[in-house]
Structure formats: structure tokens, C-alpha cells
Amino acid sequence: MDKKLAAALKRDDQREAAGMHASDRQTCHTHQCWATECEDQHWRPTAGRLLAEARDLDRIRSANRNQ
């Protein structure tokens, strides 16, 4: 990651924490890159995807408790 991207990520994180809407970011927090580089990689949240993610998190938490 270059210095310009790292600085932009930090700036966007600070602005979002201060109230900026996430869709106004110039960077992608998830992929740690410029927003234009990954705009096709993001899934729109649907009930099915959210439920599947919640089930996966429950499975991981359960496995961690049993260790």
C-alpha cells in the first residue's frame, strides 16, 4: 500500500467517524484500496445474505467457545 492510499484511508475513517456517510468515501475500508478499484466487488445487502452472514458468525463463535 502506498503512502497516499494509507493517508486517504485514515482520512476517510476519521471523516466517517465524524459523521460522513460511508458512500462518500474515496477509499474502500473493506478492501483497503481506492473505491473505484472495487466498486463491483461489493454485494448489496439482502435478507438472505444478512441471515447467512449471521449464521456464519454464530458458527464461528460457537467453534471458538468449544476450543
Side-chain angles (χ1 to χ4, degrees), residues 43-57:
W43 294 353
R44 294 187 184 263
T46 63
R49 287 187 183 138
L50 293 174
L51 182 58
E53 184 177 347
R55 287 180 180 164
D56 194 37
L57 290 173

Side-chain angles (χ1 to χ4, degrees), residues 5-57:
L5 175 57
L9 282 161
K10 184 176 180 179
R11 184 183 63 245
D12 279 355
D13 289 344
Q14 291 170 341
R15 288 179 177 171
E16 192 172 356
M20 177 183 80
H21 193 274
S23 64
D24 292 334
R25 292 182 66 103
Q26 295 177 354
T27 60
C28 175
H29 177 77
T30 303
H31 299 109
Q32 299 291 293
C33 64
W34 296 103
T36 56
E37 293 175 3
C38 70
E39 57 192 17
D40 293 334
Q41 296 179 23
H42 292 273
W43 294 353
R44 294 187 184 263
T46 63
R49 287 187 183 138
L50 293 174
L51 182 58
E53 184 177 347
R55 287 180 180 164
D56 194 37
L57 290 173

